């Protein structure tokens, strides 16, 4: 039975970028039987929709498996790597540097000792 596709599913190009960032399985154990792409799709579905883990659609891998990978990868910093890598790819496609070089914040968004309405601009001129 083929799984229904969801708007939160990774594209082939996104999966091609993210697949190498997934930690390898532990040596000496049983080889993984779960498709890591499907684990990622289930996690992205959960994150985007805000549904409870036990309410994941039944055509994803078992929710206990999905949640286990989510927690393990969270502790290993895998999500930060995913976001950093995909963010860099998006910036690159837009013709920008893969790393942002400027930040603008107003005093209503950031606690400062300056008067309201003043704007701070921080720049990092690495190019």
């Amino acid at each position: 039975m083929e799984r229904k596709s969801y708007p939160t599913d990774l594209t082939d190009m996104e999966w091609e970028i993210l697949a190498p960032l997934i930690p390898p399985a532990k040596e000496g154990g049983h080889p993984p039987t779960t498709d890591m792409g499907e684990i990622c799709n289930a996690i992205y579905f959960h994150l985007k929709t805000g549904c409870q883990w036990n309410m994941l659609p039944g055509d994803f891998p078992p929710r206990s498996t999905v949640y286990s990978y989510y927690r393990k990868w969270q502790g290993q910093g895998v999500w930060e790597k995913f976001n950093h890598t995909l963010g860099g790819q998006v910036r690159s496609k837009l013709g920008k540097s893969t790393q942002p070089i400027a930040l603008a914040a107003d005093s209503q968004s950031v606690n400062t000792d300056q008067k309201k309405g003043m704007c701070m601009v921080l720049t990092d001129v690495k190019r």
Side-chain angles (χ1 to χ4, degrees):
M1 180 173 107
E2 192 169 317
R3 182 177 73 76
K4 175 184 173 184
S5 96
Y6 296 97
T8 56
D9 285 352
L10 293 168
T11 64
D12 290 340
M13 189 158 121
E14 289 169 333
W15 176 241
E16 192 176 306
I17 293 166
L18 297 181
L21 302 176
I22 294 177
K26 289 182 182 177
E27 290 188 28
H30 290 286
T33 57
T34 305
D35 179 352
M36 292 297 113
E38 287 302 299
I39 295 290
C40 290
N41 284 332
I43 292 171
Y44 280 120
F45 181 90
H46 163 76
L47 294 173
K48 183 68 175 179
T49 64
C51 76
Q52 297 172 349
W53 288 107
N54 64 353
M55 297 187 82
L56 280 175
D59 51 355
F60 283 124
R63 65 180 176 254
S64 59
T65 303
V66 174
Y67 180 73
S68 174
Y69 277 104
Y70 172 77
R71 293 294 296 175
K72 181 169 54 169
W73 291 348
Q74 187 179 40
Q76 294 173 344
V78 174
W79 295 115
E80 288 84 5
K81 289 179 194 171
F82 279 11
N83 289 331
H84 184 268
T85 302
L86 284 178
Q89 293 288 330
V90 168
R91 290 183 60 80
S92 182
K93 276 192 161 194
L94 294 173
K96 299 179 179 183
S97 166
T98 58
Q99 295 295 316
I101 58 170
L103 166 76
D106 65 32
S107 63
Q108 291 182 349
S109 301
V110 177
N111 289 333
T112 68
D113 59 354
Q114 298 176 358
K115 294 180 183 177
K116 280 189 178 181
M118 294 185 72
C119 183
M120 302 183 326
V121 176
L122 305 173
T123 59
D124 179 6
V125 194
K126 294 181 200 170
R127 289 190 187 197

